[in-house]
Amino acid sequence: QVQLVESGGGVVQPGGSLRLSCAASGSIFSPYSMGWHRQAPGKQPELVATIADGAAASYEDSVKGRFTISRDNAKNTVYLQMNSLKPEDTAVYFCNVWTVDSDYWGQGTQVTVSS
């Protein structure tokens, strides 16, 4: 069974930084992409960032230049470094893993940006 566990969320002031991590356990067959969604109250989940097996990354426009996604295949772990955080970044952040045949979601970690 594949499980994804996020960590690193919390409360931070505007302009601050957080680093989210997601550790995957179980058998995940290559190739697989990894990424992050976020969901604010009353809104649909939106894709924040993805990173392919070859480490090519893509970002939602509102986080470009502020967020950086990375992965460690040996640890089956994906990270999201979030800098210059804004109140509109407040959401539950979900880790995702996509294989050729399957997709997996973590349970989410809360990020709150508030002064």
Side-chain angles (χ1 to χ4, degrees):
Q1 182 180 8
V2 175
Q3 294 184 337
L4 308 179
V5 180
E6 302 98 335
S7 62
V11 180
V12 66
Q13 293 183 341
S17 298
L18 287 172
R19 189 175 78 155
L20 306 182
S21 63
C22 171
S25 62
S27 297
I28 304 176
F29 295 98
S30 298
Y32 60 92
S33 295
M34 311 181 81
W36 296 87
H37 280 84
R38 66 185 181 186
Q39 185 174 24
K43 297 183 178 180
Q44 295 295 314
E46 64 176 351
L47 183 62
V48 176
T50 62
I51 183 165
D53 206 349
S58 62
Y59 300 91
E60 194 270 332
D61 287 343
S62 69
V63 308
K64 287 182 178 178
R66 300 189 297 120
F67 290 11
T68 302
I69 188 170
S70 60
R71 63 188 288 170
D72 185 336
N73 289 338
K75 298 179 179 180
N76 285 343
T77 300
V78 61
Y79 305 92
L80 186 67
Q81 178 67 47
M82 305 185 294
N83 299 327
S84 301
L85 283 163
K86 304 175 180 179
E88 50 263 44
D89 295 318
T90 296
V92 177
Y93 284 70
F94 297 92
C95 173
N96 306 105
V97 171
W98 301 279
T99 68
V100 172
D101 297 322
S102 303
D103 65 279
Y104 307 95
W105 287 66
Q107 296 184 9
T109 184
Q110 177 71 47
V111 172
T112 301
V113 185
S114 176
S115 60

